[in-house]
């Protein structure tokens, strides 16, 4: 654990990259995973005092893009331009705070690739020859030696198991074989170069088995960077793409910024492109006399139906579908919480919704709304400065400080799922602390007022502390929580906020989503066109009617009124505190002329839970009470049988 680094790392640079993604494919959850992970690392490292530079972008040359563009009847550049927009839009929606987006069709990159090619050539590592063998277009990889024969005589790529193409062409080779010993020596001297270690072992055995020289140009692919002084050939797409990590920080000029930033501190990627990054890339850099990256973090795959999510298999999940129901933090949280960094994760809708509903809605969201609700109810949103901090409160603070050390240990090691797991154990502890302390009981005893204030203040401080260490993962929510609790202190440490302040009222942070609704939207997505025509035909017949699905959108829940009071200067309005079974919330109801607060306290009512919150006379109303109304507007609240459980749903 490297906790002592906290102060000593001030202003050290941290250069961080994702792979640059192919533009033959629209972004899916797999791409989002790597990019969210890099963004979480950027935000976390920034908190740790580093000056971070985060580079991402797109890989736009090569046979795969060329073929795809031909299929679509457009130019490769047109294809790239349209897909780049999709990537950028998704990164914006997911709150990805990258510093630079590089495209391999950018002029400075093209010139930078020519520069490194010349340098490697000058150093005697490039020679011309003929390539005879197989090529996997999907992996953009030469597979001559490893391709497997099949009865149909087409060789199969050992990595993606797709058919390869036979290639016989003139090319330039890179003397990869000359780097075998140097690479092994480098791995020995830098055993932490690849994380996790198991991947390091894979790389080592691959290199130990022997390296053959690598073709680094193509004479049958025109969509690429021309080889300097031999325009009949284009540079192999991987030689071009890997170079983005240096051209993105101005290798072309090799200026002060380049020298400050390079070598990269961390390349993040999935295991499919390990060989290119851990073998070819270091060899190219050695040849170009440049330092090697410090670390490569290799994560697993997101699978769907037990197979790697990828366009060619057709099992990708477009994160835009998730945005129909969830905000960006829910998606970010799920990705970081669910899969341990080294292994594969199977995506299921049920798993996604359970994780988000349980952790974010129930545990974290509820802790905040419960605490906020009690501060509103018992302290009128204002702390007076008389909080009594007892032994239990001190223990909450001490255990936070312990937790923080553990979380830093995990996050420094990029084990985000483990760190988050610990944070949520602590959140569970805070929810238990509320039950133990029973603020509602303390509030009814005037002599316990300072103790009550101490409990609520400790909760605010704990929430603020957690909020800050969760901010790299769920940055948007973190800002909202800081806003609600009127405290924008960031960074590590127990947030010893002053005990004389006011807080703002909160709406629900993570509304619960129902699995059925969620699944339905995917279905809708699949059948959009079909449904479009069906809809038009039906619309005239059905005007004025709603479907059962429309009805189901309204979430009606049996709730119990815990408190009721009149709202000043509003004769008709009552402010109700209701327990819905999953949270406590405030409603404003226009029934004060016919119901008094005492008629309602302890009464079971039906509320519409998923109504957009509105502010009425300065009070945030989170839902609506269901009542009948006669022609004069007199309300009648339906009687609910006493034995109906709170939280029961009307359907
Ligand atoms: N263009 C090359 C990379 C060049 S980097 C110098 C490439 N592009 S890609 O579009 O295929 O992206 C591969 C990367 O996307 C993976 O290494 C991983 O980071 C991410 N993922 C793509 N599919 C994924 C999953 N199903 N699961 C997890 N990550 C995935 O390879």
């Amino acid at each position: 654990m490297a906790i002592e680094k906290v102060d000593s790392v001030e202003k050290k640079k941290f250069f961080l990259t994702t792979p640059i993604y192919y533009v033959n494919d629209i972004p899916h959850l797999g791409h989002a995973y790597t990019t969210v992970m890099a963004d979480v690392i950027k935000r976390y490292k920034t908190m740790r005092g580093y000056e971070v530079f985060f580079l991402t972008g797109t890989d736009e040359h090569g046979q795969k893009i060329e073929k795809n563009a031909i299929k679509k009847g457009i130019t490769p550049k047109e294809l790239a331009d349209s897909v780049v927009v999709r990537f950028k839009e998704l990164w914006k929606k997911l709150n990805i705070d990258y510093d630079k987006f590089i495209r391999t069709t950018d002029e400075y990159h093209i010139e930078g690739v020519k520069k490194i090619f010349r340098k490697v050539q000058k150093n005697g590592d490039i020679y011309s020859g003929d390539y005879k063998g197989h090529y996997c277009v999907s992996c953009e990889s030469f597979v001559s030696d490893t391709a497997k024969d099949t009865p149909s005589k087409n060789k199969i790529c050992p990595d993606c198991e797709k058919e390869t193409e036979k290639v016989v062409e003139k090319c330039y080779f890179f003397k990869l074989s000359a780097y075998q010993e140097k690479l092994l020596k480098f791995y020995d001297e830098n055993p932490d170069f690849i994380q996790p270690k198991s991947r390091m072992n894979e790389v080592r055995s691959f290199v130990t088995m022997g390296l053959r020289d690598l073709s680094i140009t193509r004479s049958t692919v025109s969509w690429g960077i021309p080889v300097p002084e031999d325009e009949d050939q284009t540079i192999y797409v991987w030689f071009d793409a890997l170079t983005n990590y240096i051209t993105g920080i101005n290798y072309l000029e090799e200026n002060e910024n380049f020298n400050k930033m390079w070598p990269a501190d961390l390349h993040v990627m999935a295991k499919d492109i390990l060989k290119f990054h851990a073998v070819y890339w270091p060899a190219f850099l050695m040849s170009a006399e440049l330092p090697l990256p410090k670390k490569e973090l290799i994560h697993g795959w997101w699978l769907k139906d037990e197979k790697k999510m990828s366009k060619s298999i057709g099992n990708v999940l477009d994160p835009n579908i998730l945005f129909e129901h969830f905000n960006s933090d829910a998606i970010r949280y799920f990705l970081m919480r669910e899969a341990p960094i080294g292994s594969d994760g199977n995506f299921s809708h049920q798993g996604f919704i359970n994780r988000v509903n349980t952790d974010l809605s129930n545990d974290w969201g509820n802790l905040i709304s419960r605490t906020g609700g009690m501060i509103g109810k018992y302290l009128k949103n204002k702390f007076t400065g008389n909080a009594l901090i007892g032994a239990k409160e001190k223990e909450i603070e001490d255990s936070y400080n312990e937790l923080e050390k553990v979380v830093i240990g995990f996050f420094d090691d990029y084990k985000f799922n483990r760190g988050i797991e610990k944070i949520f154990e602590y959140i569970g502890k805070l929810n238990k602390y509320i039950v133990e302390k029973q603020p509602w009981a303390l509030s009814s005893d005037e002599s316990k007022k300072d103790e009550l204030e101490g409990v609520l203040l400790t909760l605010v401080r704990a929430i603020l502390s957690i909020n800050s260490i969760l901010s790299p993962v769920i940055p948007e929510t973190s800002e909202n929580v800081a806003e609600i609790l009127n405290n924008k202190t960031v960074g590590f440490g127990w947030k010893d906020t002053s005990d004389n302040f006011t807080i703002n009222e909160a709406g629900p942070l993570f509304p619960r989503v129902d699995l059925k609704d969620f699944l339905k939207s995917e279905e809708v997505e699949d059948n959009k066109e079909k449904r479009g025509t069906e809809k038009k035909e039906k619309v005239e017949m059905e005007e004025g009617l709603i479907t059962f699905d429309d009805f189901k959108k309204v979430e009606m829940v049996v709730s119990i009124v815990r408190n009721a009071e009149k709202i000043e200067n509003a004769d008709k309005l009552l402010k109700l505190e209701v327990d819905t079974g999953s949270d406590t919330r405030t409603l404003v109801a226009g029934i004060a002329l016919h119901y008094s607060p005492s008629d309602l306290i302890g009464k079971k009512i039906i509320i519409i839970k998923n109504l957009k919150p509105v502010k009425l006379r300065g009070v945030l109303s989170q839902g609506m009470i269901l009542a009948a109304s006669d022609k004069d507007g007199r309300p009648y609240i339906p009687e609910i049988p006493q034995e109906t459980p709170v939280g029961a749903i009307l359907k």
Side-chain angles (χ1 to χ4, degrees):
M1 244 183 251
I3 291 146
E4 59 287 352
K5 276 206 287 183
V6 174
D7 298 322
S8 64
V9 292
E10 245 171 5
K11 292 187 195 71
K12 250 177 90 178
K13 71 92 187 175
F14 193 88
F15 176 34
L16 163 74
T17 70
T18 68
I20 48 170
Y21 304 107
Y22 288 129
V23 287
N24 66 311
D25 196 355
I26 57 161
H28 59 69
L29 197 75
H31 303 120
Y33 180 46
T34 315
T35 314
V36 164
M37 187 181 298
D39 186 71
V40 171
I41 294 172
K42 172 179 178 176
R43 291 171 191 268
Y44 173 67
K45 284 286 173 188
T46 306
M47 255 176 100
R48 294 284 268 137
Y50 287 86
E51 184 192 332
V52 183
F53 189 81
F54 171 13
L55 176 70
T56 190
T58 41
D59 188 356
E60 306 186 6
H61 292 124
Q63 203 174 346
K64 178 150 72 172
I65 315 293
E66 191 176 57
K67 278 190 151 189
N68 238 291
I70 292 170
K71 225 195 274 167
K72 291 193 157 78
I74 52 178
T75 67
K77 184 64 168 49
E78 280 166 349
L79 173 62
D81 288 347
S82 66
V83 177
V84 162
V85 176
R86 303 289 292 267
F87 273 101
K88 286 191 173 168
E89 272 170 8
L90 180 62
W91 298 160
K92 194 166 177 210
K93 275 167 119 177
L94 281 168
N95 251 314
I96 306 295
D97 188 21
Y98 57 78
D99 297 289
K100 187 169 175 77
F101 191 101
I102 187 169
R103 299 182 56 177
T104 54
T105 47
D106 288 339
E107 205 47 41
Y108 64 87
H109 171 78
I110 293 173
E111 290 310 313
V113 172
K114 288 183 182 165
K115 175 174 166 174
I116 189 174
F117 191 95
R118 284 195 186 101
K119 175 91 183 180
V120 172
Q121 200 167 32
K122 193 171 141 243
N123 286 348
D125 281 331
I126 293 179
Y127 64 93
S128 70
D130 294 292
Y131 176 81
K132 271 197 214 85
H134 285 82
Y135 191 82
C136 172
V137 179
S138 179
C139 299
E140 294 282 15
S141 173
F142 297 94
V143 288
S144 357
D145 302 322
T146 40
K148 292 182 227 156
D149 281 309
T150 62
S152 68
K153 299 253 180 341
N154 284 318
K155 289 202 180 247
I156 297 292
C157 170
D159 295 323
C160 69
E161 303 197 333
K162 287 193 198 98
E163 282 185 6
T164 60
E165 284 184 358
K166 200 160 183 188
V167 171
V168 179
E169 62 185 26
K170 279 207 154 319
C171 71
Y172 288 94
F173 283 99
F174 171 74
K175 284 188 191 162
L176 186 62
S177 56
Y179 287 89
Q180 181 168 348
E181 291 313 316
K182 287 179 200 153
L183 284 168
L184 289 172
K185 183 165 174 275
F186 170 71
Y187 304 145
D188 285 343
E189 287 166 359
N190 299 276
D192 297 329
F193 173 54
I194 304 290
Q195 188 175 325
K197 277 212 161 47
S198 53
R199 301 274 171 226
M200 178 87 251
N201 299 340
E202 265 173 45
V203 171
R204 206 191 293 270
S205 58
F206 176 80
V207 175
T208 310
M209 270 158 51
L211 294 176
R212 290 176 166 250
D213 291 348
L214 176 75
S215 167
I216 51 162
T217 65
R218 303 289 316 263
S219 45
T220 53
V221 177
S222 56
W223 180 235
I225 300 174
V227 170
E229 276 68 72
D230 187 352
E231 304 240 329
D232 288 342
Q233 303 215 27
T234 54
I235 293 175
Y236 172 43
V237 65
W238 271 102
F239 188 93
D240 163 356
L242 288 161
T243 305
N244 95 87
Y245 298 135
I246 54 176
T247 54
I249 49 171
N250 208 345
Y251 169 65
L252 188 57
E253 290 175 30
E254 264 185 278
N255 58 5
E256 210 179 298
N257 184 53
F258 176 77
N259 291 323
K260 176 179 159 195
M261 285 297 166
W262 191 255
D265 294 271
L266 191 68
H267 290 320
V268 184
M269 75 207 73
K271 59 188 178 182
D272 49 345
I273 54 177
L274 177 62
K275 176 181 70 188
F276 301 97
H277 282 80
V279 182
Y280 299 174
W281 181 225
F284 297 158
L285 287 167
M286 282 179 189
S287 174
E289 297 169 86
L290 287 169
L292 306 196
K294 293 191 189 143
K295 198 185 257 296
E296 299 187 344
L297 179 64
I298 315 298
H299 62 68
W301 284 331
W302 276 101
L303 314 173
K304 209 168 160 228
D305 312 320
E306 307 295 330
K307 287 204 193 81
K308 182 193 172 204
M309 211 179 266
S310 84
K311 188 194 170 196
S312 49
I313 300 179
N315 61 344
V316 292
L317 184 107
D318 176 358
N320 286 304
I321 288 174
L322 301 179
F323 277 109
E324 287 178 16
H325 293 278
F326 301 93
N327 62 21
S328 103
D329 281 353
I331 302 170
R332 291 171 63 105
Y333 177 80
F334 171 78
L335 291 172
M336 289 301 99
R337 172 65 184 86
E338 202 66 14
I341 227 150
S343 15
D344 296 341
N346 205 11
F347 180 87
S348 81
H349 294 95
Q350 179 81 59
F352 181 88
I353 209 160
N354 284 355
R355 180 55 78 193
V356 171
N357 278 348
T358 308
D359 292 6
L360 296 179
S361 305
N362 288 6
D363 295 351
W364 183 227
N366 213 11
L367 174 68
I368 296 158
S369 57
R370 236 172 141 186
T371 305
M374 290 191 292
I375 295 170
K377 185 166 167 186
Y378 307 135
L379 306 181
K380 305 274 170 282
N381 286 334
K382 181 146 180 51
F383 284 90
T384 63
N386 294 320
L388 188 72
I389 301 296
K392 187 73 203 164
E393 287 62 44
K394 192 79 189 73
E395 193 194 311
I396 296 278
E397 176 179 343
D398 292 345
S399 56
Y400 172 77
N401 290 326
E402 276 313 302
L403 165 83
E404 192 177 88
K405 283 187 211 155
V406 174
V407 173
I408 287 176
F410 281 131
F411 281 15
D412 275 352
D413 227 7
Y414 308 120
K415 293 187 174 131
F416 293 103
N417 67 319
R418 299 292 308 280
I420 296 170
E421 189 185 355
K422 290 285 163 204
I423 293 174
F424 275 79
E425 275 172 30
Y426 182 78
I427 291 171
K429 218 159 129 175
L430 293 175
N431 276 320
K432 266 204 205 111
Y433 167 70
I434 298 180
V435 176
E436 273 165 37
K437 280 293 187 173
Q438 303 203 350
W440 45 94
L442 296 176
S443 78
S444 54
D445 183 344
E446 193 50 33
S447 71
K448 302 245 166 92
K449 208 166 174 298
D450 296 349
E451 193 180 335
L452 171 69
E453 210 163 300
V455 173
L456 296 177
L457 184 67
T458 302
L459 286 169
V460 167
R461 288 173 171 171
I463 290 172
L464 285 170
S465 310
I466 291 292
N467 193 44
S468 184
I469 45 170
L470 267 181
S471 65
V473 184
I474 49 171
E476 203 181 312
T477 311
S478 198
E479 272 185 30
N480 292 342
V481 172
E483 179 76 28
I484 294 165
L485 297 181
N486 244 332
N487 188 311
K488 307 244 166 93
T489 327
V490 289
F492 298 99
W494 177 249
K495 302 289 169 290
D496 220 348
T497 177
S498 124
D499 62 353
N500 188 353
F501 70 105
T502 39
I503 73 157
N504 299 315
E505 285 191 37
L509 288 168
F510 291 100
R512 281 180 71 89
V513 175
D514 189 62
L515 179 66
K516 277 194 228 117
D517 295 340
F518 180 33
L519 291 179
K520 220 185 307 147
S521 76
E522 269 232 84
E523 214 181 282
V524 168
E525 195 60 26
D526 289 346
N527 298 315
K528 228 176 210 165
E529 274 176 38
K530 197 172 124 222
R531 285 182 185 220
T533 25
E534 277 173 14
K535 232 189 211 158
K536 262 188 228 141
E537 286 164 11
K538 280 188 176 177
V539 87
E540 280 165 32
M541 283 170 61
E542 292 181 352
E543 225 159 350
L545 300 180
I546 63 165
T547 63
F548 183 58
D549 286 345
D550 290 333
F551 164 72
K552 278 202 327 201
K553 281 189 197 145
V554 184
E555 242 182 84
M556 288 186 278
V557 179
V558 173
S559 305
I560 185 160
V561 181
R562 296 278 181 219
N563 198 17
E565 58 193 57
K566 291 206 164 194
I567 295 182
E568 247 176 75
N569 301 327
D571 299 346
K572 292 185 187 159
L573 300 183
L574 282 186
K575 178 177 157 189
L576 311 179
E577 292 293 333
V578 302
D579 180 349
T580 69
S582 59
D583 60 22
T584 309
R585 51 173 78 195
T586 305
L587 303 186
V588 176
I591 51 175
L593 297 179
H594 303 279
Y595 290 91
S596 70
S598 61
D599 293 336
L600 293 166
I601 295 174
K603 189 175 174 64
K604 285 190 178 155
I605 57 170
I606 298 167
I607 73 152
I608 304 196
K609 211 177 156 190
N610 58 343
L611 203 68
K612 220 173 178 174
V614 284
K615 244 187 184 166
L616 295 167
R617 297 289 169 119
V619 180
L620 189 72
S621 183
Q622 301 163 284
M624 190 179 100
I625 177 168
L626 204 76
S629 175
D630 65 15
K631 60 180 181 0
D632 303 321
R634 192 214 137 105
Y636 300 87
I637 299 175
E639 285 303 323
I640 308 295
Q642 206 38 47
E643 64 278 15
T644 318
V646 171
I649 294 167
L650 278 90
K651 47 187 176 183

